[in-house]
């Protein structure tokens, strides 16, 4: 099964008056849809835009793997486990909130900040918080705590990317345009996806993305946790 969500179908959020604009792919806060609560282990996929000086004050998280991909600008992070970092484009940040942690996310630069933040459900709750930043991510990022893996691809126009034949695969287009093939070999047909669009694939088999313009794409590969838990 394949479900396409267009950028304009995301739920609006944030606080525009405070320089925070958010677009939620899944039910979040006041936006509740019982048919759109999660996808596989993915609990949230938020596109965030922070004006210079804007940010999220200290707030708590628990029992969630928080993975952040910076698109433009610089994200300043502080947390109660003692970490302070600046995350830039091409860097991946992961905060494992585990049994509980509080953090602050701000745009302390003088240019706009754009990032995608994804919340992943771990296989087991609790534990001690942990944190890391991977600079210039190139390889697939494994998240064994959730039996998931994130791939980042930047195909040039005409290039192609394989979508893993996973139990759950989530494709988010960061920039550019791609075509998701319809599964019929040799036809060249399928859904066109632009920046902000996403595709959710459940047991969809092998599929291919073809860049119709230079693009950047995030792909989550997730296992059915009923299998992961045995």
């Amino acid at each position: 099964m394949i479900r396409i969500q267009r950028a304009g179908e995301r739920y609006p959020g944030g606080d525009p008056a405070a320089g925070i604009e958010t677009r939620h792919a899944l039910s979040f806060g006041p936006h509740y849809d019982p048919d759109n609560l999660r996808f596989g282990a993915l609990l949230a996929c938020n596109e965030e835009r922070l004006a210079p000086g804007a940010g999220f004050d200290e707030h708590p998280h628990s029992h969630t793997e928080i993975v952040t991909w910076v698109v433009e600008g610089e994200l300043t992070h502080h947390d109660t486990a003692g970490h302070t970092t600046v995350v830039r484009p091409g860097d991946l940040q992961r905060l494992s909130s585990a049994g509980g942690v509080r953090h602050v996310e701000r745009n302390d630069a003088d240019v706009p900040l754009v990032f995608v933040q994804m919340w992943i459900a771990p296989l087991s709750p609790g534990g001690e918080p942990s944190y890391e930043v991977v600079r210039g991510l190139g390889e697939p990022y494994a998240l064994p705590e959730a039996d998931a893996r994130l791939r980042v691809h930047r195909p040039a126009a005409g290039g192609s990317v394989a979508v893993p034949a996973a139990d759950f695969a989530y494709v988010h287009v960061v920039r550019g345009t791609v075509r998701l093939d319809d599964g019929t070999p040799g036809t060249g047909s399928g859904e066109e996806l632009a920046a902000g669009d996403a595709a959710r694939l459940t047991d969809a088999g092998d599929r291919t993305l073809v860049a119709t313009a230079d693009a950047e794409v995030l792909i989550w590969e997730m296992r059915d946790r009923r299998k992961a838990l045995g």
Side-chain angles (χ1 to χ4, degrees):
M1 183 180 75
I2 299 177
R3 177 179 176 180
I4 304 297
Q5 182 183 45
R6 300 299 178 183
E9 296 172 338
R10 289 172 168 264
Y11 310 121
D15 185 354
I20 302 172
E21 295 186 11
T22 306
R23 292 294 182 268
H24 304 286
L26 296 147
S27 289
F28 200 101
H31 301 288
Y32 176 75
D33 179 353
D35 295 322
N36 193 30
L37 294 177
R38 64 187 290 170
F39 178 71
L42 188 67
L43 302 174
C45 180
N46 302 333
E47 290 186 325
E48 305 284 1
R49 291 171 172 79
L50 304 185
F56 299 97
D57 293 332
E58 186 176 294
H59 58 281
H61 288 281
S62 62
H63 314 307
T64 309
E65 300 291 325
I66 302 170
V67 178
T68 304
W69 179 255
V70 175
V71 180
E72 300 174 12
E74 297 182 348
L75 171 66
T76 299
H77 166 95
H78 306 279
D79 65 48
T80 53
H83 305 103
T84 297
T85 56
V86 176
V87 190
R88 299 179 175 86
D91 296 344
L92 179 141
Q93 173 186 260
R94 180 188 63 84
L95 174 63
S96 178
S97 61
V101 70
R102 301 176 68 86
H103 72 154
V104 177
E105 295 172 307
R106 296 195 55 80
N107 179 7
D108 289 334
D110 57 2
V111 295
L113 166 64
V114 180
F115 62 95
V116 181
Q117 188 167 94
M118 298 151 284
W119 297 5
I120 310 296
L123 297 174
S124 301
E128 292 297 319
S130 61
Y131 178 82
E132 72 172 327
V133 174
V134 180
R135 304 290 185 186
L137 181 71
E139 298 297 320
Y141 183 78
L143 192 63
E145 294 83 355
D147 206 355
R149 182 181 293 108
L150 176 64
R151 303 172 187 271
V152 180
H153 296 282
R154 299 183 184 88
S160 63
V161 171
V163 179
D167 296 328
F168 302 99
Y170 185 87
V171 176
H172 174 82
V173 182
V174 175
R175 66 179 97 235
T177 56
V178 297
R179 183 178 66 250
L180 175 63
D181 77 69
D182 64 3
T184 305
T187 64
S189 59
E191 290 280 356
E192 294 281 345
L193 305 175
D197 292 348
R200 307 177 195 182
L201 297 85
T202 307
D203 294 321
D206 294 314
R207 298 297 175 112
T208 301
L209 293 171
V210 177
T212 51
D214 292 353
E216 182 172 277
V217 182
L218 307 179
I219 303 177
W220 276 104
E221 176 185 357
M222 297 170 283
R223 226 172 109 187
D224 187 325
R225 64 185 43 232
R226 291 169 296 183
K227 300 177 183 177
L229 294 173

